[in-house]
Amino acid sequence: QVQLVESGGGSVQAGGSLRLSCAVSGNTYSSKCAAWFRQAPGKEREGVASIYRGGVQPYYADSVKGRFTISRDNAKPMVYLQMNSLKPEDTAMYYCAAAASCGSRRPNDFGYWGQGTQVTVSS
């Protein structure tokens, strides 16, 4: 079992920054891959970024490349999503997720989820 607890969401104006945090506990094998997904009202859940425990091969969706950075602190252990140059279209509920592999971008392939944290970007 893996437990994930997100924090750090909020409201910000376009161009601003937020950092999301995800506290990870439980089975380390099942949380080898950590990812951030987001879901806006009326839209499907989409993968934003993912990273292995070793910090290699981070993945970013095209829509956030160059603006968002995913990182891990395995000593704590925590997963972060630094979001810069935020846009109104980034408004969504953001979820931390974990899986044994980062090979898939599909939400159904991630077995562990946090409760979500809301990010709202106003223009």
Side-chain angles (χ1 to χ4, degrees):
Q1 288 289 341
V2 176
Q3 293 78 43
L4 304 167
V5 180
E6 304 99 332
S7 60
S11 297
V12 65
Q13 288 193 326
S17 298
L18 284 173
R19 189 176 83 153
L20 305 184
S21 299
C22 175
V24 183
S25 60
N27 186 292
T28 54
Y29 175 81
S30 297
S31 61
K32 190 183 299 184
C33 173
W36 289 94
F37 287 78
R38 67 185 181 187
Q39 188 167 20
K43 294 189 177 181
E44 294 186 352
R45 192 168 296 190
E46 63 170 346
V48 174
S50 62
I51 189 170
Y52 278 103
R53 184 174 295 112
V56 298
Q57 295 181 305
Y59 157 81
Y60 296 97
D62 288 342
S63 57
V64 307
K65 278 181 183 175
R67 300 188 299 121
F68 290 11
T69 302
I70 188 171
S71 61
R72 296 183 73 147
D73 183 342
N74 296 321
K76 291 188 177 180
M78 297 287 291
V79 182
Y80 304 101
L81 186 68
Q82 178 65 44
M83 306 185 294
N84 299 328
S85 302
L86 282 161
K87 305 175 180 179
E89 51 264 42
D90 294 318
T91 295
M93 184 71 79
Y94 283 71
Y95 297 91
C96 181
S101 170
C102 287
S104 172
R105 318 290 184 219
R106 298 184 305 173
N108 285 349
D109 291 328
F110 284 76
Y112 302 97
W113 293 85
Q115 80 287 354
T117 186
Q118 178 67 37
V119 171
T120 302
V121 184
S122 58
S123 57

